[in-house]
Amino acid sequence: MGRDERKRGSRGFTLLELLVVMVILGLLAALVGPRIFGKVGKAKIKAAKAQISLLEAALDEFRLDVGRYPSTEEGLKALIEKPADGENWDGPYLKKKLVPKDPWGRPYKYKCPGDHGEYDLYSYGRDGQPGGEGEDKDITSWE
């Protein structure tokens, strides 16, 4: 095989071409990545607010049937399982028959009677601790 025949037969990429492509992909990831991850945090906050609204609707439906909100001890589980003294309970009040966890994988906090209304329903956000700013801020039913 002559030299010209080998050149025509090899159609691979050179190491330099591969390195240039990798550098370009790295730069794109560095520019786009932070923007995408920032939106993920905001989306989780919006999801938590939406879930709290749905749980509030289920709690209101429970109250219409039973005449009271579930106690702190009964918790949100009373929305899917009949409590001991729930005579007129007509649940489950959640479609999937399970109480959702917040977007960070932790159970929602529920207290009845609440400090801010008839009940308090909230998530501590990303950090799982009271208070915080940004994604760590508490998501509540009373704000």
Side-chain angles (χ1 to χ4, degrees):
M1 227 185 227
R3 189 177 206 200
D4 291 332
E5 289 176 23
R6 267 189 265 149
K7 278 188 178 179
R8 277 187 250 138
S10 64
R11 297 185 180 189
F13 296 105
T14 66
L15 181 59
L16 182 61
E17 290 170 330
L18 289 173
L19 287 173
V20 168
V21 169
M22 289 175 63
V23 167
I24 291 171
L25 289 174
L27 288 171
L28 284 173
L31 292 172
V32 175
R35 291 184 183 173
I36 290 174
F37 290 122
K39 294 201 184 276
V40 168
K42 288 179 184 176
K44 285 186 175 187
I45 291 169
K46 287 181 182 179
K49 288 179 181 180
Q51 284 180 327
I52 285 175
S53 292
L54 291 171
L55 289 170
E56 286 179 312
L59 286 165
D60 289 340
E61 197 174 338
F62 177 97
R63 182 178 183 217
L64 286 172
D65 290 344
V66 179
R68 62 173 179 81
Y69 287 111
S71 67
T72 302
E73 293 75 29
E74 293 169 335
L76 298 174
K77 193 172 185 179
L79 298 174
I80 56 171
E81 292 179 11
K82 183 178 180 177
D85 67 340
E87 273 185 45
N88 295 325
W89 189 86
D90 192 27
Y93 297 97
L94 298 172
K95 284 185 181 180
K96 292 189 177 181
K97 298 179 184 159
L98 64 110
V99 179
K101 293 186 184 244
D102 72 10
W104 298 275
R106 292 184 289 276
Y108 283 98
K109 310 291 183 200
Y110 174 78
K111 181 180 176 186
C112 183
D115 298 326
H116 303 278
E118 294 186 77
Y119 62 85
D120 291 348
L121 179 59
Y122 54 97
S123 165
Y124 284 138
R126 179 182 64 180
D127 65 353
Q129 303 295 319
E133 296 293 323
E135 290 179 53
D136 296 337
K137 184 178 178 186
D138 301 346
I139 298 103
T140 64
S141 62
W142 59 88
E143 289 181 354

